[in-house]
Amino acid sequence: MKTLNIFLLVVIFTTFDVKSAKDTFYLYLESHLFYPSELVIPANKKVKLIIENKDSTPEEFDSFDLNREKVIYPGRKVTIYIGPLKPGRYEYFGEFNPNTALGTIIVESDRHVH
Amino acid sequence: MFINTVIVLLRDMLPIFILFSYLSVLLTNKSSVKAVGFVLGVALGTLLYLLAESISDMFGGRGSELVKTGLAILGYGCFVRFSVARGFSSKSLYFDLAVVVGVLCVVSSQFSSFLVYLFSQVNGSGNVVTLSTASVIGLGIAMSFSYLYRFLLQALVRHGNTWLVVMCWSLFLSGLLSQVYFHLAQVDMVTIGLKRLELGSWASESSVVGYLFKATIGFELSPVIGQFILYFLAACLLVGLRGFSPVPKVSEGVH
């Protein structure tokens, strides 16, 4: 068991990093729709994304492209960090309402902040 | 909503059924211990759901992920303790405790996730009939698959391939631990090794095949590098701890 403990500590602490992001972008969810549905962020840069849930039920922000999955409770905001990403389109959706809660993160070399 | 409920139910609950498939083969004489773990897991899962919003706000919004990380590490540790016991059997109280806590960790984490979805749909749409029907069908699929998987494992044991069952169990546990990397990446606590590996170009991670791989042996078809390394190391660790000890006689009591 001692070996196991050491192994776990090494794995966790060698991967622990607390770099802060410089750019912040915002999304909000209302009536099971993400606004804006397309968000442009700069390429090759780590950004902070704050998502607010204005609905009365929880939603799970989910993206296979971005490798992100986070539950957002009603009336709450969550922060996730994405990037650095190559230019392109990265889809995301609300796991609990996948037919309506859809959106795209557009990563562009030229920076257009919405 | 119907199909989505089935999918979410399989995502959240199938690992619990698969866990019990493994335990029914590897641990044939501890039904009460497994039952205690399950009941406590359901109770803790319900508590985690009820406190979900408060937990989520803890540690600067990282509470949910840190709790799940803790449960995954604790569950992995307990199951490793159970697995390294000679023949997957012991009369030690610590052995029973390891099984109970291991089951509790997996069940509570998965069950609380499903409750969040279930009650969001109940409160949102109020369509209880559709939700109930979808839940029953989802549970039916999960139970059917876990029974089939259990028969497969039992057949492997009967034909002297117990090592293969143990190997799959080790990979299942590795998958449990590798979730730690995923959870910590969500809250930016790990920032390296996040490039995706496309190991399964023949099937999507979000496909049925992808879910089955993940549920049975904890393997993701498109893991990030760090998660894959952790998965691999965790499997090596368990094999290392088990060493070259004799293959356990797990066939006793298998019917």
Side-chain angles (χ1 to χ4, degrees), chain B residues 169-214:
Chain B
W169 168 245
S170 302
L171 293 175
F172 176 82
L173 293 187
S174 303
L176 178 65
L177 185 65
S178 71
Q179 286 300 306
V180 167
Y181 205 93
F182 176 79
H183 292 312
L184 294 180
Q186 301 310 306
V187 288
D188 206 42
M189 291 181 75
V190 289
T191 56
I192 58 171
L194 295 179
K195 189 178 178 185
R196 271 196 182 275
L197 294 170
E198 293 298 335
L199 302 174
S201 55
W202 42 275
S204 163
E205 190 176 311
S206 57
S207 67
V208 174
V209 176
Y211 278 126
L212 292 184
F213 262 95
K214 190 174 177 181

Side-chain angles (χ1 to χ4, degrees), chain B residues 34-49:
Chain B
K34 288 181 276 187
V36 168
F38 179 76
V39 171
L40 290 178
V42 169
L44 181 60
T46 306
L47 186 65
L48 288 176
Y49 163 70

Side-chain angles (χ1 to χ4, degrees), chain A residues 1-21 32 46-47 56-84 86 93-99, chain B residues 1 4 7-8 11 49 52-54 56-57 61-65 69 73 76-78 80-81 84 113 116-117 119-121 123-124 177 180-182 184-192 194-196 205-206 211 214 220 222 224 227 230 233-234 237 241:
Chain A
M1 290 307 289
K2 191 177 177 183
T3 313
L4 172 65
N5 293 336
I6 293 170
F7 165 76
L8 292 176
L9 286 173
V10 168
V11 167
I12 290 170
F13 287 105
T14 54
T15 56
F16 191 89
D17 194 355
V18 287
K19 289 175 187 172
S20 60
H32 309 304
K46 184 175 176 180
V47 302
S56 58
T57 56
E59 182 56 271
E60 185 174 297
F61 178 89
D62 206 328
S63 172
F64 292 108
D65 294 345
L66 299 166
N67 190 34
R68 285 291 174 269
E69 187 180 296
K70 184 139 179 85
V71 175
I72 317 162
Y73 292 96
R76 307 288 173 107
K77 291 178 184 175
V78 299
T79 300
I80 61 171
Y81 294 87
I82 53 177
K86 292 176 182 174
F93 60 97
E95 175 83 56
F96 298 169
N97 298 279
N99 295 327
Chain B
M1 185 175 72
N4 199 42
I7 291 171
V8 173
R11 183 196 70 175
Y49 163 70
E53 292 189 34
S54 305
S56 179
D57 289 342
R62 295 168 167 167
S64 300
E65 285 74 17
T69 296
I73 293 173
Y76 177 79
C78 288
V80 167
R81 168 67 186 85
V84 296
S113 295
V116 170
Y117 170 79
F119 285 101
S120 78
Q121 296 299 312
N123 295 331
L177 185 65
V180 167
Y181 205 93
F182 176 79
L184 294 180
Q186 301 310 306
V187 288
D188 206 42
M189 291 181 75
V190 289
T191 56
I192 58 171
L194 295 179
K195 189 178 178 185
R196 271 196 182 275
E205 190 176 311
S206 57
Y211 278 126
K214 190 174 177 181
E220 297 199 12
S222 304
V224 296
Q227 193 174 357
L230 187 56
L233 289 178
L237 175 76
L241 284 175

Side-chain angles (χ1 to χ4, degrees), chain B residues 21-78:
Chain B
S21 294
Y22 280 115
L23 292 180
S24 68
V25 176
L26 295 172
L27 190 66
T28 54
N29 56 350
K30 299 267 185 182
S31 299
S32 57
V33 174
K34 288 181 276 187
V36 168
F38 179 76
V39 171
L40 290 178
V42 169
L44 181 60
T46 306
L47 186 65
L48 288 176
Y49 163 70
L50 293 173
L51 300 174
E53 292 189 34
S54 305
I55 291 172
S56 179
D57 289 342
M58 291 163 62
F59 306 110
R62 295 168 167 167
S64 300
E65 285 74 17
L66 290 179
V67 166
K68 288 194 173 182
T69 296
L71 287 172
I73 293 173
L74 186 59
Y76 177 79
C78 288

